[in-house]
Amino acid sequence: MDLSKVKMVVTDMDGTLLNSNSEVSEQFFELYEALKSHQIHFVAASGRQYSSIQDKLSAIAEEITIVAENGSYVKQGNTELGSTLLSAEHIRLLLPVVRNVKGLYTVLCGKKSAYIEQDDTKFTNILEEYYTKFDVVDDLMDLPDDDFFKVAIYHFESSETYIYPVVKHLEGILQIKVSGNNWVDIADPTANKGQAIQMLQQKYGISKEETMVFGDFNNDLEMIDQAFFSYAMANAHDNVKKAARFHTSSNNEAGVEVILQELIKAKNQQSTP
């Protein structure tokens, strides 16, 4: 396994780069500087809103590529590299299916903001962690003046138990991803993190064999397929552990940083005469 080949590092945020307190370690930012010195392209890929990822990585956000909304929105600095929008037709197909199911909280995710109907403090306190910009509207079916990437649905107990069965019949028509213990994200059928990473690989001339990816949940599966150096976190969903070629320690044990240290060591050895 020759880590010195790596030219691009891609990491998920929640459950991967972020610890259980939703924090990025200071060690990571130090390691990022070493990655940069070796001209390794860094990508943060998440189901989060763009501005939320930008906030978490504010010290480096203008230098890196951010893949937000599960691959639907890609930016490098202030430059938009790509977006995959969810059509009004698909939104109006989906909303009646989920909006009246007890215990489900629906978020319509747009480029300008996210939108919710339920102004429930218990939920908005959670929402604020993932969406730094959101507005409460009377009726999501009226569709605010925005471009939309996805619909995110939250349940306080379990996304796989209480959300996925409600929307499963729409798979194929829509991209449906169980993206966390409490979240299901629904987007255009072509939108996923993998297609976003593939676009970046083509743009920068980087192969799968030169790509390193870290993930923990089902919304990371497509991007894991885009990298030879694919790592599942110790806390990852079983599907991710099966799909990934390699494994690392958990997000609370600096699993990403452990491998980045190995990568930087390999790069340093390569550059030593």
Side-chain angles (χ1 to χ4, degrees):
M1 184 174 70
D2 186 3
L3 290 174
S4 66
K5 294 179 179 179
V6 173
K7 294 182 179 179
M8 182 162 68
V9 171
V10 184
T11 180
D12 174 50
M13 295 292 286
D14 295 281
T16 304
L17 184 61
L18 301 179
N19 63 23
S20 58
N21 294 320
S22 296
E23 299 166 335
V24 183
S25 73
E26 288 302 318
Q27 182 189 20
F28 165 74
F29 289 107
E30 294 170 5
L31 293 169
Y32 167 76
E33 292 301 321
L35 294 178
K36 189 167 68 168
S37 72
H38 287 291
Q39 299 181 317
I40 296 174
H41 193 85
F42 181 77
V43 181
S46 176
R48 284 175 175 254
Q49 187 180 48
Y50 171 80
S51 59
S52 176
I53 306 170
Q54 187 181 42
D55 183 60
K56 292 292 182 184
L57 298 171
S58 57
I60 61 174
E62 297 305 312
E63 303 175 4
I64 66 173
T65 298
I66 293 177
V67 175
E69 309 284 10
N70 275 337
S72 293
Y73 192 34
V74 185
K75 289 187 74 175
Q76 183 174 24
N78 293 320
T79 303
E80 180 178 326
L81 300 182
S83 62
T84 306
L85 301 180
L86 182 59
S87 71
E89 178 186 2
H90 281 150
I91 294 169
R92 291 195 169 105
L93 170 69
L94 173 64
L95 287 179
V97 175
V98 299
R99 70 191 308 185
N100 295 319
V101 178
K102 186 177 179 181
L104 302 190
Y105 293 82
T106 303
V107 186
L108 181 56
C109 306
K111 186 177 289 189
K112 298 175 186 176
S113 183
Y115 306 89
I116 59 173
E117 291 174 341
Q118 307 104 313
D119 191 9
D120 180 329
T121 303
K122 183 182 177 184
F123 175 60
T124 56
N125 286 343
I126 290 168
L127 188 66
E128 287 171 353
E129 172 57 39
Y130 304 95
Y131 296 87
T132 57
K133 299 177 182 178
F134 66 89
D135 296 295
V136 181
V137 298
D138 292 330
D139 188 351
L140 291 176
M141 290 288 281
D142 289 339
L143 296 187
D145 180 22
D146 206 340
D147 292 323
F148 302 104
F149 300 120
K150 69 176 187 181
V151 173
I153 308 167
Y154 184 89
H155 190 279
F156 278 96
E157 293 179 35
S158 170
S159 54
E160 288 187 292
T161 302
Y162 296 104
I163 307 173
Y164 180 65
V166 174
V167 297
K168 182 180 179 181
H169 67 285
L170 294 173
E171 281 186 310
I173 300 172
L174 294 164
Q175 177 78 254
I176 298 174
K177 282 293 177 182
V178 178
S179 57
N181 291 323
N182 306 95
W183 291 97
V184 167
D185 287 342
I186 303 174
D188 183 88
T190 64
N192 61 69
K193 293 181 185 181
Q195 61 88 20
I197 300 309
Q198 184 179 43
M199 181 265 288
L200 292 173
Q201 288 169 328
Q202 292 171 350
K203 178 177 177 62
Y204 296 112
I206 296 172
S207 68
K208 289 184 178 182
E209 291 71 28
E210 296 167 326
T211 304
M212 176 180 283
V213 164
F214 298 90
D216 77 304
F217 230 89
N218 291 341
N219 58 331
D220 299 321
L221 289 170
E222 287 89 353
M223 75 174 185
I224 281 173
D225 287 341
Q226 286 300 122
F228 175 82
F229 297 99
S230 56
Y231 288 84
M233 310 301 290
N235 53 288
H237 192 286
D238 285 344
N239 292 343
V240 176
K241 290 180 178 179
K242 290 175 185 176
R245 189 170 277 107
F246 307 105
H247 298 82
T248 186
S249 47
S250 76
N251 61 320
N252 286 326
E253 299 169 309
V256 171
E257 289 88 339
V258 167
I259 303 303
L260 292 185
Q261 286 177 313
E262 294 180 8
L263 169 58
I264 292 161
K265 181 179 178 181
K267 287 288 189 180
N268 287 338
Q269 290 173 344
Q270 181 189 47
S271 60
T272 301

